[in-house]
Amino acid sequence: MDRGNRYENLARQVSAVGAVKRGLARTLPADCPSGSAIVLALLNHHGDVRMSRVAELMAVDLSVGSRHVAHTVDRGWVERLPDPSDKRSRILHLTPAGADMLATLDRRLTATLARTLADWSDEDVEQLTTLLARLRDSFGDCRAHHA
């Protein structure tokens, strides 16, 4: 296969990943859409941050990030606290209820992947994981290119 066809085929397969993402999103609880799940995961990973940082990490416009955060706040999964370094600003903090929801999400996603890939060998799952991480690393910080 020539180099051009190889990348055309890869482009088709990467586009098809959207179907995988939609399938995984269907495993989320009805009251926790994917944007909210991402907010919870980011706060769990990065700790308390400002709204602007959440939008940056999500690679979305501030207004889009704000809608996702508002949903998590409305459900008690995240709280807005005064920023100790600037009392006019707020920082976002994952609540115990948010940590519980994140644990539920992790269990559901892991169970779905385990069920869906049950006929895959451990080596194949490990190789897919390695190659997906490598693909992501090759793209670097996609936020720098976000318009």
Side-chain angles (χ1 to χ4, degrees):
M1 176 183 310
D2 71 44
R3 196 168 179 88
N5 286 340
R6 178 179 350 156
Y7 292 116
E8 288 173 9
N9 188 38
L10 176 59
R12 281 190 292 276
Q13 294 308 315
V14 169
S15 293
V17 168
V20 173
K21 288 177 64 175
R22 286 186 298 278
L24 289 172
R26 284 190 289 274
T27 70
L28 300 175
D31 65 337
C32 189
S34 60
S36 296
I38 292 168
V39 169
L40 297 177
L42 288 173
L43 290 177
N44 186 61
H45 181 75
H46 293 279
D48 297 350
V49 296
R50 289 184 178 183
M51 180 61 243
S52 58
R53 180 72 173 138
V54 169
E56 177 187 334
L57 291 167
M58 291 180 77
V60 297
D61 196 60
L62 188 59
S63 63
V64 174
S66 293
R67 282 195 301 274
H68 293 306
V69 167
H71 187 267
T72 64
V73 170
D74 290 346
R75 279 157 185 75
W77 300 330
V78 171
E79 58 187 346
R80 294 182 178 108
L81 302 173
D83 186 336
S85 64
D86 180 357
K87 298 295 184 200
R88 297 168 298 169
S89 295
R90 297 282 177 252
I91 57 170
L92 303 172
H93 175 76
L94 185 66
T95 65
D100 289 346
M101 175 52 74
L102 190 56
T104 297
L105 299 175
D106 287 344
R107 281 191 305 275
R108 285 180 176 218
L109 292 173
T110 300
T112 299
L113 288 169
R115 194 171 46 255
T116 304
L117 304 179
D119 61 340
W120 287 40
S121 70
D122 291 346
E123 293 79 19
D124 284 348
V125 173
E126 188 173 323
Q127 182 179 18
L128 176 63
T129 302
T130 300
L131 291 173
L132 286 172
R134 184 175 172 193
L135 177 65
R136 175 64 179 96
D137 288 346
S138 292
F139 275 86
D141 187 356
C142 295
R143 294 179 305 268
H145 308 293
H146 183 70

